[in-house]
Amino acid sequence: MTYPRVLCLGEILFDCLADKPGVSLEEVESWTAYPGGAPANVACALVKLGTAAGFIGAVGGDELGNSLVEVLQEVGVDTAGVQRHPSAPTRQVYVLRNQAGDRNFAGFGEFNTADFADTRLLAAQLPEVLFENAEYLVLGTLELAYPESRDAIARAIELAEQYDVKIILDINWRPVFWPNPDEAKAHIRKILKKVDFVKLSEEEAEWLFATTDAGAITYRLDSVEGVLVTAGEKGCAYCLSENEGKIPAFTVDVEDTTGAGDAFLAGFVSQLCKVGIKSLATPEITKKIVTYASAVGAMTAMKPGAIRAQPTAAEVEAFLYLYKH
């Protein structure tokens, strides 16, 4: 049996996108549901880029949950870590878009954020064999908002440390997911001490560290091997193995930014799997890795939906080739 090289733990859900951009919640006439959830997006993007990945998370024992697991399986993501909750529903989140394609979360319909199956991920049911055979664990922070899934994250970190799995944290700060948003910083800071790489947006960097300087954040965290700070159309900054730099964004026609950051992260991790962490010591290779990640993110923003929009490795190579020539 072949095991995934990368494990992605957290939420899988349906993003219900307002069909018309630039309207208020009251003005929305129809929604289209797209499979999403940051860790699930990363897992799918990795597989499309040729890196074996597994998803760990909980869905409801409902039709929505079944269809999400089917999406993962159709893409080729390992689903051995998926748990089913008998009564809690699979999460749906309503998303508004402005004319530029940027998103704004509009809530969870008739449910409270803590009602959904993803919050019930059980630590005791995490398959240890996946961690024994993995190289990387990708985590978000949304599931830190709920006691059971928070315990599952703590257990996953324990297993990652036990089996020498590198941990990559995407801050992915979404206040709407937290029953008490004021608790978020303390929980996030606690696990920052245990991770190897951190990816965060400019806004999240300001919120957590009062700076967007990737080098300053790396220095402050002290224990991490690298930091990536994304800024949408302004590009991204990085500090990886003491190599610092900035990459301008690719100029593309943006349709929907949903999942673009997740695709960026998948591009980064897929390249790490390909060339190895030690190669981050070389400035040219580091720049190439981040440029590749940026291309994957940009291409995903060109179509609606997160998973459906993700490119294959061949498409990324063709895109980069065109940009160079």
Side-chain angles (χ1 to χ4, degrees), residues 41-291:
N41 292 342
V42 176
C44 290
L46 279 163
V47 172
K48 291 183 188 185
L49 294 171
T51 301
F55 175 73
I56 299 172
V59 294
D62 48 23
E63 270 313 301
L64 290 175
N66 294 341
S67 59
L68 287 173
V69 174
E70 274 172 29
V71 168
L72 293 173
Q73 290 169 342
E74 279 165 17
V75 172
V77 174
D78 184 291
T79 55
V82 175
Q83 299 176 18
R84 303 278 189 148
H85 195 276
S87 58
T90 300
R91 190 185 292 270
Q92 294 185 86
V93 54
Y94 292 87
V95 183
L96 301 173
R97 286 178 292 163
N98 66 16
Q99 294 293 0
D102 291 323
R103 300 170 306 152
N104 177 37
F105 288 96
F108 307 100
E110 68 208 73
F111 295 102
N112 290 321
T113 185
D115 292 340
F116 296 100
D118 58 274
T119 70
R120 314 285 208 276
L121 183 66
L122 298 175
Q125 287 180 25
L126 298 186
E128 191 165 335
V129 68
L130 291 179
F131 291 84
E132 282 177 51
N133 292 279
E135 294 166 46
Y136 296 94
L137 169 65
V138 175
L139 296 171
T141 66
L142 299 189
E143 299 301 332
L144 290 173
Y146 319 100
E148 281 178 300
S149 50
R150 186 159 62 237
D151 289 346
I153 288 175
R155 175 65 181 144
I157 290 170
E158 263 176 35
L159 288 167
E161 287 172 342
Q162 186 180 335
Y163 293 108
D164 202 22
V165 177
K166 294 286 183 186
I167 304 171
I168 299 162
L169 180 70
D170 182 356
I171 299 298
N172 201 25
W173 160 241
R174 303 279 184 268
V176 69
F177 278 80
W178 289 75
N180 183 356
D182 295 339
E183 293 177 355
K185 270 188 188 173
H187 286 303
I188 292 169
R189 284 192 174 130
K190 194 174 166 188
I191 67 164
L192 277 169
K193 296 176 182 143
K194 297 176 180 287
V195 307
D196 300 288
F197 294 92
V198 180
K199 180 230 159 217
L200 67 177
S201 69
E202 265 197 339
E203 296 82 4
E204 290 160 352
E206 279 290 356
W207 174 68
L208 264 179
F209 299 104
T211 178
T212 59
D213 186 310
I217 295 168
T218 307
Y219 180 77
R220 200 171 308 175
L221 288 172
D222 193 32
S223 55
V224 300
E225 295 182 42
V227 169
L228 297 153
V229 180
T230 57
E233 70 216 17
K234 292 191 285 178
C236 69
Y238 62 87
C239 180
L240 298 160
S241 190
E242 296 182 11
N243 289 314
E244 284 188 62
K246 287 189 174 175
I247 303 278
F250 289 94
T251 307
V252 295
D253 291 327
V254 175
E255 171 78 18
D256 173 25
T257 58
T258 306
D262 307 325
F264 171 93
L265 184 58
F268 174 72
V269 179
S270 73
Q271 290 298 293
L272 277 191
C273 286
K274 193 175 175 183
V275 301
I277 280 183
K278 288 195 173 78
S279 62
L280 290 175
T282 311
E284 298 78 28
I285 296 176
T286 301
K287 188 177 181 183
K288 216 170 166 185
I289 289 171
V290 182
T291 301

